[in-house]
């Protein structure tokens, strides 16, 4: 796996967003990020020799802080060189160290932590002064992806338009629900 | 106050980061953001007719979601036009609505919530799917500022260098503490 | 929707009680308020051109603080003019801002917050000094409606009689349960 | 004491708001209600033979649910006859029964519970379906008084004006704090 | 029902243990007390004109603190005269006032509180200094009955023997489980 | 110490109530039991060769479940033979095992657990079905003593009178506090 | 059972690890320890006259702190003489005293506590200064067994090799999961 | 610092116990481990060229998981080669990752986690299946040291004697406290 990470580095067409999670049991919860990014026009990189045609892309890996600590170090240390702009890191359990360790190692890349369960929130959010991480609510990987795109949109105005479009649809939904109450 | 907001809009030299808080009793806790931004070379805008000379800047306001809801609305709605890139919003108490409402109204600008007390964490972090906010730990306004600069640094590479410098100093500090133990 | 709110204002036969909730997923929980008010003889307004014939009435809307913040402002600001006397506002999640923001904007109308889940209680109840809200227990929209009628009954003595009748039936129920234990 | 309660009944000039608390150690916390009502022009009844001259008034008693259960019963049962419109009941500890029992006995008068400590919140708020109480946040007796006046204001429009005036002052305060930040 | 309570008073063959609960939904949880007492040879009084033949007996009632406060007062006040020695009082919800109010009113009879749910524990246990109640763990009505018999056994040595017999059986059970592990 | 326990056994004038605690740091909290028993006329046994002259008495020991487990065993096993009727056992910390282990070993004597800190409550109260203990609120050793006397009073009616007298004084106190409010 | 414990003492081929639990309802949770030890080549002793042929072994017993306190004392006191090196003690409920009491009585043998439920954690971990116990997370009996073998491995280097082998397999698993994501 | 770690490796006289902590603000809490080890005759290594003369020794370092992640990695990876037998790792805050990451990297060495604050407990204890750590209660570094010596004592019987001696003194202390109560 380390070899694969090395090969990626020279790759020009790397994804902007990296999604990692601590266990394959987190896949269901983290799928929300996949949904949100797809809805906003991002492609997923599954084969690094054949990147998706979309302008913006993301990648997904399973990296366990406690069972594969070396992998975590390699991923975090190479993230910036490989061209990532934001990392979304999800982990469950009471000792959800993956997001925090990734934020520490991949610094100064911004890392958005996703606590996979309610009990993971305090472990993910609780970084000491000087070691930044930002966090979304338990299980809200969909919102983590929206936040990641908000971050990218500061440099890529076209993404701001996509976020506005998504929001307009959302408001129409709430409006029509309220209207149905009166019919 | 609304007039002041209007006047700001055409202003070209607006700050990149807006810091707001729910009450003047939050000032001590939110001062960490001020410290971090100053340490990273940001200037504070105190007089909009006489902006600071530094390349990057921030502004600070007290806006109460529950006592001045109109003000909150005006601030959030005009944030994008006024040129802000990130908002840091701190609030205390169990019903810390300021960060969430700001994130909803200022969307798609990224908003970093700072729960001023431990009891404010769940209220700040708990947004529904589709309404993004990112949060730091209770009282960690210093880290919120670091995260805000991480976000800006995606478009402004020079900020990445400042973040790296800050980190190197931090690590030297930890090293020297450990060394002192052996003397 | 804003137009509809405007049109309502001159309407003389507005309902006394407004029920709002943050999402259509709250409908089941908030249905208790509907039950209680119906049991106490209130009619529901579903078509503002054709108000119910009962002396007292209520209306129901879905308004999301985080997804439709503008709608929340319009509803809260026009509530008093439109003739409402009490608002029952329910919201779920850890950041249940709808009741609080409504109480702030619709002030000085009394607002009764209904935390839709247990985790919503502290967010709903936690207003700062000077910004009043009253709250019922998680999911107790039935009791919120009873409280709303208690409030109305201070000006409308006939409602006091209805509340007494309801209570007598309730006590008979408890009595007959205890009696059944001995048969 | 029961005799005193009896004598009160025929009294025409009874106060609108009754404030009771479980122990004299709750006096400091409950003083906020006294402050708010005084600020809104209410008089305190201390001598029932010589009522205050103000149009609206309140009374204050110490009644312990666990140490003087009979007194609680008498107070609750005579409240309506004595002309009270709202009761504010504060209690501390983990088993803060005074507000709940008062709400049950004084029904259908509206009762606003004030949990004197954080640990009292769940005990005060947790009434079963059919037994209404409304609650404010721990220690927020000031807000309980504002809510009580909101309730009275539905029948007494002049009180609505006083509440608006109080709110305007409050907003001016927040505005001037924010302005000071820029000087 | 009050009449029934009056009639009971002269009754010589009253039960030693009174079991009360706040709602018929508590019956399943409180059934453990019934089981334990039956196992220890107590009879249940279901018809006061035809008491059970066993030397020791108990009675069961549903009494709601919040929905039938008068009934609670009558039950508590007449308990001592009617010959009860211990009361087991169960209640659920976050505001489980029945055990506490019964302990206050029936004083100096010992009252054993049974929190029907986990969330009821703090409300049941939290009495102020000077107002005694003793409590068992959530749902442990079986143990409450054992404790009630322990209390009675101080005056009735024959009950001490029954408690010893019950315990010996229990220990044999644990022993045989451990033995089965090795087969 | 074991020898001392042996010598006690034949002693006819043993105390009715045994007070034990897990550490001398619990002495302040457990002093409430001493106060209550003294107020109700109990004597303290400090020298077993020279018992107090009062009709009822108590003894006090420090016994650590975790640091002196053998002592705990001896105390619990000899309690019944030595003539104790009730044991009040206080312990602090999150693993407050002393009350539970004493209740298990001294069975079928009733044991009243006193959690010395709030965090000790769940550990003291949480016994499995078949292993009874009753508990008072954190730090409420005064109430534990009242409950112990309530238990003794079932066999000793004179104690019931003392409990009634104590209660009357308490109610007078509450009454006079309420009266002072009006002066 | 005591006789069986006595007979064991002279037995030379005693197991290194003793597993005890408070109730047969804990068997499912504690089965993880059985799995881990079997995977690492340990045999289970089920018949002390016919020990397993493997070099390292463990035994399993049900011992209830609250229902069979004497058994707990005998087990703890004889553990060292019988040749045990580590004890894994699991218990559930809020008052999970078995691990703590075993650690106190079997001292200085290391004891690893396994809280069977989440609510048991604080009761198991909370020992006072001077009374050591180490704890794993709720339900993690598998990890408790790994820790027990880590402890044994300090004296038996061959066990260190087995632990390394187990870990390598585990890492291969995580790697292959991540790889599958890209296919 | 890495150089220093390299140099240590060939060192034959390495300490048995390594103490690390996440910040110098943890020093006060972790000092208990220093006290316990000193009391049990361990020497502290402060200069690796001049090891202490005692047979058993320990070392102390400050290593921050979030601020110096590389240092953590080096420490954990070299621990086994350097001759450590047990690591005591303390960390504070809600995201106390140091003990967990050390346990993952230094595996199969046993690691005892010390949560420096109450809020750190769940983060330290919560490892996933397959990644062992054992934990003591918040702040109990003294007990962590006792447990570390218990682990060492399996291979070094002389340490067992020291632990027994320490325990005897402790029990004498409890005994004398109880005796003082009667004087």
């Amino acid at each position: 796996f380390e070899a694969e990470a090395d090969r990626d580095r020279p790759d020009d067409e790397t994804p902007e967003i990296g999604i990692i999670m601590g266990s394959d049991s987190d896949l269901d919860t983290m799928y929300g990020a996949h949904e949100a990014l797809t809805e906003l026009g991002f492609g997923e990189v599954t084969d690094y020799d054949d990147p998706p045609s979309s302008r913006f892309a993301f990648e997904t890996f399973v990296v366990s802080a406690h069972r594969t600590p070396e992998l975590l170090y390699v991923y975090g240390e190479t993230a910036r060189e490989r061209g990532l702009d934001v990392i979304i890191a999800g982990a469950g359990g009471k000792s959800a160290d993956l997001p925090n360790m990734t934020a520490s190692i991949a610094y100064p890349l911004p890392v958005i932590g996703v606590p996979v369960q309610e009990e993971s929130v305090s472990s993910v959010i609780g970084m000491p002064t000087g070691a930044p991480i930002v966090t979304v609510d338990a299980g809200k990987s969909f919102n983590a992806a929206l936040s990641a795109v908000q971050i990218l949109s500061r440099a890529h105005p076209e993404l701001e338009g996509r976020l506005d479009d998504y929001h307009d649809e959302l408001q129409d939904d709430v409006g029509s629900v309220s209207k149905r109450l009166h019919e």
Side-chain angles (χ1 to χ4, degrees), chain A residues 159-179:
Chain A
L159 291 174
E160 209 169 332
R162 295 193 200 171
L163 287 166
D164 279 330
D165 291 348
Y166 166 73
H167 207 231
D168 289 345
E169 284 172 40
L170 197 71
Q171 297 204 328
D172 289 350
D173 284 358
V174 176
S176 66
V177 161
S178 203
K179 192 156 292 175

Side-chain angles (χ1 to χ4, degrees), chain A residues 89-138:
Chain A
K94 290 191 286 190
S95 180
D97 297 352
L98 182 66
N100 307 273
M101 290 309 297
T102 305
S104 296
I105 301 170
Y107 179 94
L109 277 196
V111 173
I112 302 175
V114 181
V116 167
Q117 288 120 22
E118 187 59 42
E119 65 177 10
S120 319
V121 173
S122 80
S123 166
V124 171
I125 208 174
M127 294 278 270
T129 299
I133 196 174
V134 291
T135 309
V136 296
D137 198 12

Side-chain angles (χ1 to χ4, degrees), chain A residues 26-106:
Chain A
D26 302 336
L27 265 171
D28 278 358
T29 302
M30 295 303 290
Y31 191 68
H34 187 282
E35 279 185 303
L37 292 177
T38 305
E39 189 158 342
L40 292 168
F42 281 63
E44 178 170 13
V45 180
T46 51
D47 180 346
Y48 285 83
D49 297 325
D50 180 17
S53 58
S54 55
R55 170 67 185 82
F56 298 100
F58 64 99
E59 64 179 17
T60 312
F61 287 100
V62 171
V63 180
S64 169
H66 298 131
R67 286 178 283 212
T68 61
E70 294 81 8
L71 191 58
L72 157 66
Y73 270 80
V74 172
Y75 189 87
E77 285 209 318
T78 62
R80 192 169 10 167
E81 295 170 56
R82 291 176 53 224
L84 292 174
D85 277 310
V86 197
I87 298 176
I88 296 172
K94 290 191 286 190
S95 180
D97 297 352
L98 182 66
N100 307 273
M101 290 309 297
T102 305
S104 296
I105 301 170

